[in-house]
């Protein structure tokens, strides 16, 4: 308990700042439900629990996004992750989350220059033939400068903001603690799986902080498209790269949002949409490694109808089994196979819904709407969005990797539709889905899976006697144990343990006060300032114990 108290005390200043922002935007009730309000009040924190009427006139999603923006880069990133959770939040919330911009004021060049000298081993002016100290772009984690190598090659230098890691690590610790409180204290919030969301977010954010990881992602993506002349991935210049610096080829093209410039340049918009759709399907269904943030700012259009992807800080990975499940779901949706759609979704959701029959019926009704509809009227993004809403209504959430995948598919189809309103992702996907299903069920593939199943079963059977022998040996020696993990019971046990510890400390403090009072009345023995020394020491010990007891109650948010 003491270690937990010290950990909370380490970040209490930051927690106070975040709580003040939430209160100002009208979310003080959330703090009260989590027990944090009692903690601050008990500690004498001067939080202003009132909020302005101008703010409260805004809708809750708008207010919450304003609060995230004011809370800083970590929470802006969190909002961007929440924008992908259409299985947890209704459209009005995810729409607002999508508006959170990953933009920030640039860092003064003096600070950037000092850090670059440490990472490059010399000043950027010495390392590069040309270096522009004016930022080309600035975001919450890093900012970008343009430069030119000694051989004349134009590059961009992405530099992580100085001092950003400790701030974000403190925020992540607080988020993990708050997620635990949400799951333990609120039944309504538990269905949102806050600890899983925070775990996913922490993993994603730490990868983004490591710019070397982005370099590896870019190089891997480049190898996957090495034989495709229509897709361009910027080259990485490894000799200058580190955890805080990323040097890549500069892409001089038309930004994805500038459709008018595409027209003016004479590029074929239908062909660009087709190439983009094919690249997306290849990344997801064949490679199992895809760009997880394919918004218009990360896509450029080049001469000869080529497409360039940049910024690989966020990528998605799919195992072979997961790829097959995705293929199975999409193929079942295209072929109007409702039972198979339900099987895949329930397998992903894990926890069965309260009313499985109702979910099955609604999914069948949803899929049946597309019977007889021509492929050109199929819109994959619309189908997936509707499917997520259906799952949310039944209190089901999907694995984080599937949610990121669906979000990427929806974004990529949106980019393609801006180029070509007649583009249809289903039309592009259907032949590939059929091919992958045939390959999965081909005789040689089935024989390979069957052989592997035989090998696994044989290993299980041959190892069974040894496992049983070990089990019996443990039982005879009294070392056999059966663990039953009941989450709520464990929480209740922890509360009892804390209460017992506090009662014990309280009894010791009371005994020290009484004993010291008795010592004060006895003549003789060493004195300090004319008072019995042992009595003074007893009172000082009681004060220290009392302060620790009050601090432990405050830090756990259980002040009464």
């Amino acid at each position: 308990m003491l270690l937990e108290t010290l950990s909370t005390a380490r970040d209490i200043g930051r927690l106070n700042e975040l709580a003040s922002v939430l209160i100002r935007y009208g979310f003080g009730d959330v703090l009260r439900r989590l027990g944090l309000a009692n903690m601050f009040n008990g500690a004498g924190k001067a939080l202003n629990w009132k909020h302005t009427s101008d703010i409260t006139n805004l809708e809750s999603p708008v207010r919450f996004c304003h609060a995230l923006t004011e809370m800083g880069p970590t929470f802006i990133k969190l909002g961007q992750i929440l924008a992908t959770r259409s299985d947890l939040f209704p459209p009005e919330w995810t729409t607002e989350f999508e508006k959170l911009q990953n933009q920030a004021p640039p860092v003064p060049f003096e600070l950037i220059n000092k850090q670059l000298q440490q990472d490059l081993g010399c000043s950027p002016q010495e390392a590069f033939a040309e270096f522009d100290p004016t930022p080309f772009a600035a975001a919450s984690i890093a900012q970008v400068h343009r430069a030119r190598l000694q051989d004349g090659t134009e590059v961009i230098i992405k530099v992580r903001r100085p001092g950003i890691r400790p701030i974000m690590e403190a925020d992540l610790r607080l988020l993990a603690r708050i997620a635990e409180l949400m799951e333990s204290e609120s039944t309504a919030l538990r269905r949102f799986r806050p600890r899983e969301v925070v775990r996913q977010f922490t993993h994603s954010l730490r990868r983004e902080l490591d710019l070397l990881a982005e370099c590896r992602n870019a190089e891997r993506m480049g190898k996957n498209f090495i034989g495709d002349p229509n897709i361009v991935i910027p080259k990485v210049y490894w000799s200058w790269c580190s955890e805080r610096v990323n040097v890549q080829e500069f892409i001089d093209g038309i930004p994805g949002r500038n459709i008018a410039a595409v027209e003016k340049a004479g590029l074929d918009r239908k062909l660009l949409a087709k190439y983009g759709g094919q690249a997306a399907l290849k990344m997801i269904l064949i490679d199992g490694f895809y760009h997880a943030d394919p918004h218009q700012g990360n896509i450029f259009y080049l001469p000869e109808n080529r497409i360039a992807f940049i910024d690989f800080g966020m990528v998605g990975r799919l195992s072979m089994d997961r790829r097959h499940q995705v293929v199975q779901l999409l193929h079942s949706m295209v072929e109007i196979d409702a039972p198979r759609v339900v099987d895949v979704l329930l397998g992903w959701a894990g926890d069965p819904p309260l009313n499985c029959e109702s979910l099955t019926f609604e999914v069948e009704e949803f899929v049946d709407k597309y019977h007889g509809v021509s492929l050109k009227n199929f819109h994959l993004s619309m189908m997936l969005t509707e499917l997520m809403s259906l799952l949310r209504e039944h209190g089901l959430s999907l694995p984080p990797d599937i949610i990121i995948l669906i979000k990427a598919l929806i974004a990529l189809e949106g980019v393609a539709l801006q180029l070509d309103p007649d583009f249809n992702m289903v039309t592009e996907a259907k032949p590939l889905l059929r091919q992958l299903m045939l390959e999965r069920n081909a005789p040689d593939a089935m024989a390979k899976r069957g052989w592997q199943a035989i090998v696994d079963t044989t290993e299980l059977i041959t190892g069974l006697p040894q496992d049983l022998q070990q089990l019996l040996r443990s039982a005879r020696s009294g070392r056999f144990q059966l663990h039953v993990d009941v989450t709520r019971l464990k929480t209740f046990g922890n509360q009892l343990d804390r209460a017992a510890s506090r009662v014990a400390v309280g009894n010791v403090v009371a005994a020290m006060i009484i004993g010291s009072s008795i010592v004060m009345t006895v003549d003789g023995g060493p004195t300090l300032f004319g008072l019995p020394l042992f009595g003074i020491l007893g009172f000082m010990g009681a004060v220290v114990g009392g302060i620790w007891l009050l601090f432990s109650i405050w830090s756990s948010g259980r002040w009464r």
Side-chain angles (χ1 to χ4, degrees), residues 105-403:
V107 177
F109 180 67
E110 294 76 20
L111 298 177
I112 290 291
N113 189 41
K114 182 178 179 181
Q115 181 173 290
L116 274 175
Q117 287 187 24
Q118 296 173 356
D119 292 324
L120 298 175
C122 60
S123 69
Q125 290 80 5
E126 293 174 325
F128 303 100
E130 294 180 21
F131 180 87
D132 188 355
T134 304
F136 182 65
S140 56
I141 290 180
Q143 69 184 43
V144 176
H145 292 261
R146 291 186 63 175
R148 192 183 298 274
L149 299 181
Q150 299 296 344
D151 63 1
T153 303
E154 285 193 85
V155 296
I156 60 101
I157 303 175
K158 190 173 184 179
V159 187
R160 196 173 75 192
R161 286 176 171 264
I164 192 69
R165 181 180 280 278
I167 297 173
M168 288 191 161
E169 290 292 346
D171 288 342
L172 291 174
R173 287 193 297 270
L174 292 173
L175 283 172
R177 177 60 179 151
I178 291 171
E180 291 177 9
L181 286 172
M182 291 172 69
E183 287 206 3
S184 62
E185 300 298 326
S186 174
T187 305
L189 295 175
R190 198 174 304 140
R191 65 171 290 267
F192 292 101
R193 300 183 183 180
R195 284 197 295 180
E196 182 183 343
V197 172
V198 170
R199 184 194 62 78
Q200 172 206 355
F201 172 62
T202 300
H203 183 61
S204 173
L205 188 59
R206 284 175 176 161
R207 281 193 305 188
E208 279 199 73
L209 284 170
D210 183 5
L211 298 189
L212 274 177
E214 181 180 342
C215 294
R216 289 190 291 269
N217 294 337
E219 189 168 79
R220 178 176 173 181
M221 192 70 71
K223 289 180 180 178
N224 289 342
F225 284 98
I226 198 168
D228 190 339
N230 304 315
I231 303 299
V232 175
I233 307 296
K235 179 182 177 181
V236 177
Y237 294 91
W238 284 100
S239 56
W240 302 114
C241 295
S242 66
E243 182 186 346
R244 300 187 300 188
V245 179
N246 176 352
V247 180
Q248 293 187 26
E249 172 189 1
F250 174 72
I251 298 296
D252 187 12
I254 300 171
R257 62 177 59 90
N258 195 347
I259 303 300
V262 173
E263 286 278 3
K264 187 176 180 180
L267 299 180
D268 189 332
R269 290 171 55 176
K270 288 184 177 293
L271 203 55
L272 287 172
K274 182 180 181 66
Y275 290 159
Q278 290 175 346
L281 294 171
K282 179 184 184 302
M283 285 189 283
I284 293 169
L285 301 180
I286 297 177
D287 301 331
F289 183 77
Y290 61 93
H291 198 308
D293 191 24
H295 60 74
Q296 294 172 331
N298 289 336
I299 296 175
F300 287 85
Y301 304 120
L302 309 178
E304 300 177 8
N305 296 311
R306 294 175 299 152
I307 301 176
F309 292 93
I310 67 166
D311 194 352
F312 296 93
M314 289 182 63
V315 295
R317 297 171 175 83
L318 295 174
S319 65
M320 186 65 73
D321 288 340
R322 188 67 100 197
R323 259 178 279 169
H324 171 64
Q325 293 166 5
V326 172
V327 170
Q328 196 173 39
L329 175 70
L330 296 178
H331 185 263
S332 301
M333 290 173 64
V334 171
E335 297 295 335
I336 321 297
D337 186 352
R340 188 62 59 87
V341 172
V342 173
D343 287 343
V344 175
L345 291 177
L346 290 180
W348 282 345
D351 298 331
L354 296 177
N355 192 337
C356 189
E357 292 183 0
S358 175
L359 174 64
T360 302
F361 174 77
E362 291 184 35
V363 170
E364 288 178 349
E365 189 177 39
F366 155 72
V367 174
D368 190 61
K369 288 193 309 182
Y370 295 93
H371 261 303
V373 177
S374 62
L375 280 180
K376 68 178 183 178
N377 294 322
F378 269 87
H379 286 292
L380 191 59
S381 57
M382 184 175 63
M383 294 177 68
L384 291 173
T385 301
E386 190 174 343
L387 199 57
M388 293 302 98
S389 300
L390 192 60
L391 292 176
R392 186 176 63 251
E393 291 171 4
H394 284 267
L396 296 176
S397 61
L398 298 179
D401 60 328
I402 295 299
I403 293 299

Side-chain angles (χ1 to χ4, degrees), residues 12-58:
I12 195 64
R14 179 61 172 154
L15 182 58
N16 185 31
E17 295 175 12
L18 301 179
S20 299
V21 174
L22 287 174
I23 292 165
R24 188 161 63 255
Y25 283 94
F27 293 101
D29 58 322
V30 175
L31 298 177
R32 292 188 176 96
R33 290 171 65 184
L34 295 177
L36 295 175
N38 294 325
M39 182 185 76
F40 286 116
N41 289 335
K45 291 288 181 181
L47 293 181
N48 180 12
W49 290 89
K50 295 181 180 180
H51 41 263
T52 63
S53 57
D54 292 341
I55 293 176
T56 53
N57 289 334
L58 300 173

Side-chain angles (χ1 to χ4, degrees), residues 439-458:
E439 290 177 358
R440 171 78 178 182
N441 297 315
D444 56 340
M446 294 180 68
K448 185 178 179 181
R449 293 198 304 274
W451 174 251
Q452 186 60 49
I454 292 173
V455 172
D456 293 341
T457 304
T458 303

Side-chain angles (χ1 to χ4, degrees), residues 408-424:
L409 268 173
I410 292 174
L412 285 164
E413 186 179 47
V415 171
L417 285 171
Q418 279 201 327
L419 287 166
D420 177 14
D422 296 326
F423 176 80
N424 189 281

